[in-house]
Amino acid sequence: MKQGIELTNHGRDIMNQLEKGLADKVINRLKELDENLPYLVTDYAFGSVVGRPGLDLKTREMLTVASLVSLGNAPQQLELHMRGALNVGVTPEELLEVVIQMAVYAGVPACMNGLTAYRSAIAATENSFPITSRD
């Protein structure tokens, strides 16, 4: 099990895979409030939990997006993780399907809010909206 600086660096690496420079951006913002607060994110959230073996980062980001859509109260984190999902190999089509799936389990309003974040994430990553047809 990774510990100390190795765990911190592992978490930072995962964060930077989601979005270039994300680790420094988050760490600097959190350090303004408390010197040790960044370790909750780098070491615990990303290093120990997201960085576990068993699921690849693409799958973990799809699960994170589904969870955040369902919560419905974290729009900035939702858009961040949507961009991250796209950056680690989730296709725009797959990401859209994750959001649509949440209409059944989290409700249509949560899905609609997720679609708003989806549009922003697609635009921010210079992806294109998928063209689908109703069969």
Side-chain angles (χ1 to χ4, degrees), residues 107-129:
V108 172
C111 175
M112 297 303 288
N113 290 338
L115 292 172
T116 298
Y118 174 79
R119 287 177 183 278
S120 296
I122 292 294
T125 57
E126 299 180 2
N127 279 284
S128 299
F129 294 116

Side-chain angles (χ1 to χ4, degrees), residues 16-17 21 27 33 50 52 59 65 70 74 81-82 91 100 102 104 132:
N16 289 329
Q17 287 179 58
I27 288 167
L33 303 173
V50 177
R52 289 174 52 86
T59 302
V65 166
S70 295
H81 282 283
M82 285 183 165
T91 67
I100 293 169
M102 293 306 97
V104 174
T132 59

Side-chain angles (χ1 to χ4, degrees), residues 13-130:
D13 179 57
I14 293 167
M15 293 171 76
N16 289 329
Q17 287 179 58
L18 299 180
E19 188 169 279
K20 186 178 179 185
L22 179 62
D24 285 340
K25 184 169 121 179
V26 170
I27 288 167
N28 291 335
R29 293 284 301 185
L30 294 175
K31 274 187 177 179
E32 294 172 356
L33 303 173
D34 182 287
E35 190 69 25
N36 292 312
L37 193 54
Y39 299 111
L40 180 66
V41 176
T42 58
D43 294 25
Y44 175 66
F46 285 94
S48 293
V49 178
V50 177
R52 289 174 52 86
L55 292 174
D56 61 23
L57 188 54
K58 176 183 173 181
T59 302
R60 288 188 187 274
E61 281 303 291
M62 289 172 37
L63 292 167
T64 300
V65 166
S67 296
L68 290 169
V69 168
S70 295
L71 282 174
N73 63 1
Q76 292 87 2
Q77 290 82 7
L78 174 57
E79 187 180 334
L80 167 75
H81 282 283
M82 285 183 165
R83 291 190 314 265
L86 292 164
N87 288 335
V88 297
V90 176
T91 67
E93 294 83 4
E94 290 170 325
L95 190 57
L96 180 59
E97 288 302 321
V98 169
V99 175
I100 293 169
Q101 179 80 10
M102 293 306 97
V104 174
Y105 296 99
V108 172
C111 175
M112 297 303 288
N113 290 338
L115 292 172
T116 298
Y118 174 79
R119 287 177 183 278
S120 296
I122 292 294
T125 57
E126 299 180 2
N127 279 284
S128 299
F129 294 116

